[in-house]
């Protein structure tokens, strides 16, 4: 409020034509610019955080090849519920520092987690090409980058009963009538592990970008946990270093008697 919301910077400052940077930040917030929305628990389709990953690069470069209608279909397959589009060019005015935007809701967006009864093996880059093909029905089949055996069930039915999601842990309860796959539309990333009914499970690349877990018939509790790669090794090295320091600097030498008293 006050001068912070009305005062312009000195002419020539590199902030959108001299607009106060606080106004620019608020404009970014209203536009849900990537990463800023993360503060409010908003996830992004491109998967970029601070360091761009190869998967994000692949996703964006394939995505650019399609028309607007096909892009909307691809976004819906990826659990994207809202699309923020720039209507006007970015303007460096105090009233509208970042231009006019439009918010569109994608009514046919896939749920964040769901079950399918069919799978197909497709190595990279074929898996990305097939997933991005508008004719691919992600509600019935998942594409895996590693071969896996399972018993296909006619008239497969399955549902996710509950989903609890936090940054480093995801817990789900599921029910299905035969062998199938749980697909979680969260990024596939090293460091994630999964336990199914308390037993260690395997995470597959589902549709290349996401996570898939093979499940048998019945009800299951599935829990994903994230621990950064190298954390255990780093902890072990630190502990070993601490022990060495203690014994070399802080513990007096032990005197041994060569002969009984």
């Amino acid at each position: 409020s006050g001068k912070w919301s009305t005062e312009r910077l000195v002419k020539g400052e590199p902030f959108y034509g001299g607009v106060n940077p606080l106004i620019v930040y608020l404009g970014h917030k209203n536009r849900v610019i990537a990463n800023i929305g993360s503060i409010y628990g908003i996830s992004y389709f491109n998967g970029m955080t601070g360091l761009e990953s190869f998967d994000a690069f692949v996703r964006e470069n394939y995505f650019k090849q399609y028309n607007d209608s096909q892009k909307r279909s691809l976004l819906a397959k990826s659990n994207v519920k809202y699309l923020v589009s720039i209507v006007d060019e970015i303007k460096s005015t105090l009233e509208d520092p970042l231009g006019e935007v439009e918010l569109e809701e994608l009514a046919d967006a896939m749920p964040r987690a769901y079950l399918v009864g069919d799978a197909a093996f497709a190595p990279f880059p074929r898996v990305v090409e097939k997933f991005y093909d508008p004719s691919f029905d992600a509600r019935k089949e998942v594409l895996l980058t590693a071969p896996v055996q399972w018993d296909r069930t006619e008239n497969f039915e399955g549902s996710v009963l509950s989903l609890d999601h936090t940054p480093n842990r995801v817990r789900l309860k599921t029910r299905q009538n035969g062998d199938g796959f749980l697909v979680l539309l969260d990024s596939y990333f090293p460091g994630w592990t999964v336990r199914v009914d308390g037993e260690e499970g395997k995470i597959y690349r589902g549709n290349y970008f996401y996570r898939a877990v093979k499940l048998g018939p019945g009800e299951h509790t599935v829990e994903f946990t994230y621990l950064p790669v190298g954390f255990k090794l780093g902890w072990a090295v630190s502990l070993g270093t601490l022990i060495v320091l203690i014994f070399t600097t802080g513990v007096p030498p032990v005197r041994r008697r060569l002969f009984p008293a």
Side-chain angles (χ1 to χ4, degrees):
S1 62
K3 70 175 187 177
W4 282 102
S5 62
T6 58
E7 189 175 90
R8 296 173 68 85
L9 298 176
V10 177
K11 186 175 181 180
E13 289 285 346
F15 289 108
Y16 291 94
V19 176
N20 190 303
L22 177 60
I23 299 299
V24 176
Y25 169 77
L26 294 174
H28 276 79
K29 175 183 174 183
N30 290 334
R31 283 183 59 191
V32 203
I33 295 297
N35 295 329
I36 290 182
S38 300
I39 301 171
Y40 308 99
I42 298 174
S43 302
Y44 293 91
F45 164 73
N46 57 8
M48 298 181 186
T49 49
L51 181 66
E52 296 186 12
S53 66
F54 176 73
D55 287 1
F57 172 80
V58 170
R59 188 197 319 259
E60 190 163 324
N61 276 271
Y62 274 88
F63 186 74
K64 291 189 297 188
Q65 302 174 19
Y66 296 91
N67 60 42
D68 287 349
S69 176
Q70 291 171 325
K71 286 178 179 177
R72 282 171 170 75
S73 174
L74 291 170
L75 290 172
K77 281 188 200 178
S78 300
N79 181 234
V80 175
K81 297 180 181 178
Y82 299 98
L83 174 63
V84 180
S85 306
I86 299 175
V87 177
D88 258 336
E89 293 182 356
I90 294 177
K91 302 173 183 178
S92 58
T93 65
L94 189 61
E95 294 76 19
D96 194 4
L98 293 173
E100 183 183 355
V101 298
E102 183 178 84
L103 179 64
E104 178 184 348
E105 183 174 359
L106 303 180
D108 57 345
M110 297 277 289
R112 189 164 196 159
Y114 58 95
L115 293 161
V116 296
D118 207 353
F121 168 65
F124 181 84
R126 173 59 182 154
V127 60
V128 181
E129 297 168 354
K130 189 170 182 180
F131 176 62
Y132 271 29
D133 187 332
S135 65
F136 173 70
D137 189 351
R139 295 181 183 274
K140 296 181 178 179
E141 182 181 30
V142 62
L143 303 172
L144 304 175
T145 57
V148 58
Q149 294 184 341
W150 83 103
D151 294 326
R152 185 176 282 102
T153 302
E154 293 294 333
N155 302 315
F156 176 86
E157 292 182 358
S159 59
V160 175
L161 306 177
S162 65
L163 168 61
D164 297 317
H165 195 286
T166 60
N168 293 330
R169 191 180 300 273
V170 183
R171 184 181 174 89
L172 308 98
K173 289 186 179 296
T174 65
R175 178 191 297 137
Q176 59 199 68
N177 65 349
D179 281 358
F181 295 87
L182 168 67
V183 182
L184 178 65
L185 296 182
D186 283 1
S187 296
Y188 181 94
F189 197 78
W192 281 100
T193 58
V194 68
R195 300 188 76 85
V196 179
D197 301 326
E199 300 292 331
E200 184 177 353
K202 178 177 176 60
I203 301 177
Y204 296 90
R205 273 188 178 267
N207 300 329
Y208 186 73
F209 303 106
Y210 307 114
R211 300 177 223 157
V213 178
K214 177 185 171 184
L215 298 175
E219 294 192 3
H220 301 285
T221 298
V222 183
E223 188 166 13
F224 294 88
T225 305
Y226 178 70
L227 190 66
V229 174
F231 177 83
K232 292 181 179 179
L233 177 61
W235 183 86
V237 170
S238 298
L239 180 61
T241 303
L242 178 61
I243 293 173
V244 170
L245 287 173
I246 291 174
F247 276 91
T248 56
T249 63
V251 179
V254 178
R255 296 180 178 178
R256 296 182 178 179
R257 294 179 176 178
L258 298 179
F259 301 100

